[in-house]
């Protein structure tokens, strides 16, 4: 007798976000609702030929309230179910989705299954919602099999939004309004969904044969991001760079990694790097990379001990720093790993 193929198993982790929110009739504000409510608005879920398992955060949260403790919880849920499920979908608010995706990409070391984050701009109960397509598309992508070996198509943390699948740690929320709210400026989409799914095989992460799944949930949030701007006050920058609690600084510089040639700024940065803090240079531009050797205004930072963030997003640099500082490494090891791709987050 012919055996019925087993159905793909996808775990849906519902953390909250607009996708499952509804208007409070008294205050007019959107408030998160339970997963049952969300499911009620997507009867199509019942038509999918997958085995869906749901894990829900109680209460669901607006993603503005997400914290490293929630990331650790997500990593734990995924690691407990990694071998049982074929893929994972995380329903998440859009506001901090790129931070969560970046953090998880480092925490889920050796991941061998797709973890697809999605959400929506309009609640799922609203007529023109983008939530249905995003949710159904994310589930299909999380269940997608590589026809060559039957294994998962994606083995990494991704963001699916507005018909494109992006590498999670390359994604950024670029619009508070549009349905295609996320962008990955420095890496093409991993898949584009139209009538068919067009996979970008060239850029999908492939696991090394020796890689083992070893999730790490410890992060150190002694990190700050500073955006440079003309007229920034020396006393404020000196204070932040000198704070003993700060171990890592993401410096958001101009263009290809340039900063004003001001002696006070250089000596504040030198003081920080010599004191064992890790200062990482990322650009304020959406696209492109830091190249500190290009101009004198960037070269001075290199000499002051600043490490290049290359073409990392700020969300990625902040969470990568938190991750590396949490691993009990030496300062030199953290500096070295900041410039080494760990999960496809930076181009060499
Ligand atoms: N404030 C919401 C959140 O990030 C926005 C959204 O889901 O789009 O949770």
């Amino acid at each position: 007798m012919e055996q019925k193929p087993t159905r793909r198993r996808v775990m849906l982790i519902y953390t909250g976000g607009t996708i499952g929110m509804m208007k409070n009739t008294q205050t007019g504000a959107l408030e998160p609702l339970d997963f049952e409510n969300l499911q009620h608005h997507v009867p199509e879920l019942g038509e999918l030929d997958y085995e869906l398992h749901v894990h829900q955060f109680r209460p669901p949260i607006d993603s503005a309230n997400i914290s490293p403790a929630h990331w650790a919880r997500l990593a734990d849920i995924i690691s407990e179910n990694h071998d049982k499920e074929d893929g994972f979908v995380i329903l998440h608010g859009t506001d901090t989705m790129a931070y969560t995706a970046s953090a998880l990409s480092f925490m889920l070391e050796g991941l061998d299954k797709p973890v697809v984050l999605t959400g929506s701009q309009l609640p799922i109960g609203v007529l023109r919602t983008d939530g249905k397509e995003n949710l159904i598309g994310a589930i299909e992508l999380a269940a997608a099999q590589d026809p060559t070996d039957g294994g998962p198509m994606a083995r990494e943390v991704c963001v699916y939004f507005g018909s494109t699948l992006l590498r999670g740690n390359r994604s950024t929320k670029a619009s508070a309004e549009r349905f295609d709210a996320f962008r990955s400026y420095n890496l093409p989409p991993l898949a584009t969904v139209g009538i068919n799914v067009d996979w970008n095989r060239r850029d999908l992460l492939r696991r090394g044969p020796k890689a083992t799944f070893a999730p790490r949930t410890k992060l150190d949030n002694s990190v700050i991001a500073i955006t440079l701007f003309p007229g920034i006050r020396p006393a404020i920058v000196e204070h932040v760079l000198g704070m003993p609690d700060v171990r890592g600084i993401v410096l958001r510089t101009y263009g290809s990694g340039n900063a004003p040639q001001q002696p006070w700024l250089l000596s504040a940065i030198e003081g920080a790097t010599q004191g064992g803090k890790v200062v990482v240079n990322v650009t304020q531009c959406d696209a492109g990379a830091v190249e500190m050797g290009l101009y004198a205004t960037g070269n001075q930072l290199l000499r002051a001990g600043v490490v290049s963030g290359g073409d990392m997003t700020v969300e990625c640099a902040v969470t990568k720093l938190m991750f590396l500082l949490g691993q009990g490494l030496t300062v030199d090891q953290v500096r070295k790993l900041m410039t080494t791709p760990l999960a496809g987050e930076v181009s060499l």
Side-chain angles (χ1 to χ4, degrees), residues 170-215:
R170 296 286 194 153
S171 69
T172 193
K173 183 173 177 179
S175 174
E177 161 86 27
R178 293 173 60 103
F179 283 165
D180 57 344
F182 285 81
R183 286 278 183 282
S184 162
Y185 291 100
N186 290 324
L187 190 83
L190 298 178
T192 309
V193 178
I195 289 178
N196 297 304
V197 179
D198 183 11
W199 286 93
N200 165 15
R201 286 178 171 272
R202 200 181 65 110
D203 286 315
L204 283 169
L205 280 186
R206 284 287 157 240
R207 249 176 41 134
K210 291 211 194 84
T212 42
F213 182 52

Side-chain angles (χ1 to χ4, degrees), residues 228 257-263 265-266 269-270 292-293 295-306:
L228 292 180
N258 306 314
Q261 289 169 297
Q262 302 274 353
L265 180 61
L266 266 200
I269 293 173
E270 258 163 16
M292 285 190 280
Y295 296 93
T297 44
N299 206 24
Q300 54 166 359
L301 297 178
L302 197 60
R303 281 185 276 115
V306 173

Side-chain angles (χ1 to χ4, degrees), residues 29-299:
L30 287 172
E31 287 173 2
L33 287 173
D34 267 14
F35 183 77
E36 290 73 56
N37 180 275
L38 181 130
Q39 212 174 7
H40 167 78
H41 292 285
V42 199
E44 293 89 340
L45 285 180
E47 285 174 40
L48 289 172
D49 194 22
Y50 305 126
E51 226 179 89
L52 295 180
H53 306 113
V54 179
H55 184 106
Q56 111 151 67
F57 277 29
R58 284 188 199 278
I61 54 171
D62 186 304
S63 80
N65 293 321
I66 215 95
S67 70
H70 294 109
W71 297 337
R73 197 167 143 200
L74 285 169
D76 282 339
I77 297 167
I78 292 168
S79 75
E80 277 157 27
N81 294 283
H82 183 265
D83 296 341
K84 284 185 258 168
E85 303 288 342
D86 293 304
F88 299 84
V89 170
I90 301 178
L91 294 176
H92 195 288
T94 57
D95 290 348
T96 59
M97 192 183 290
Y99 286 94
T100 299
S102 298
L104 289 178
S105 76
F106 302 116
M107 296 164 83
L108 298 173
E109 199 176 293
L111 179 71
D112 199 27
K113 305 276 165 82
V115 173
V116 183
L117 285 98
T118 196
S120 68
Q121 293 281 46
L122 282 175
I124 214 141
V126 169
L127 203 56
R128 283 194 308 106
T129 187
D130 52 329
K132 273 192 189 189
E133 202 288 312
N134 286 349
L135 173 57
I136 293 168
I139 295 172
E140 291 198 322
L141 292 167
Q145 278 173 289
D146 188 335
T148 58
D149 63 2
M153 274 304 288
R155 297 164 192 261
E156 56 180 297
V157 179
C158 311
V159 163
Y160 178 65
F161 222 89
S163 302
T164 45
L165 184 73
L166 308 175
R167 174 161 302 149
N169 57 30
R170 296 286 194 153
S171 69
T172 193
K173 183 173 177 179
S175 174
E177 161 86 27
R178 293 173 60 103
F179 283 165
D180 57 344
F182 285 81
R183 286 278 183 282
S184 162
Y185 291 100
N186 290 324
L187 190 83
L190 298 178
T192 309
V193 178
I195 289 178
N196 297 304
V197 179
D198 183 11
W199 286 93
N200 165 15
R201 286 178 171 272
R202 200 181 65 110
D203 286 315
L204 283 169
L205 280 186
R206 284 287 157 240
R207 249 176 41 134
K210 291 211 194 84
T212 42
F213 182 52
R216 297 164 194 265
T217 52
K218 216 161 163 278
L219 299 183
D220 182 345
N221 62 353
S222 313
V223 162
I224 188 82
I226 303 177
T227 302
L228 292 180
F229 52 87
I232 194 164
R233 276 185 63 180
I236 297 174
V237 178
E238 283 160 358
H239 176 73
V240 175
L241 288 177
M243 281 171 73
D245 280 352
V246 172
R247 295 183 64 207
I249 297 126
V250 174
L251 201 59
R252 301 189 63 224
T253 58
Y254 309 130
S256 53
N258 306 314
Q261 289 169 297
Q262 302 274 353
W264 69 264
L265 180 61
L266 266 200
S267 73
I269 293 173
E270 258 163 16
T273 57
Q274 281 162 14
K277 299 185 199 296
V278 180
V279 184
V280 184
N281 189 348
V282 299
T283 176
Q284 291 177 27
C285 298
D286 289 331
V290 159
E291 264 184 84
M292 285 190 280
L294 217 52
Y295 296 93
T297 44
N299 206 24

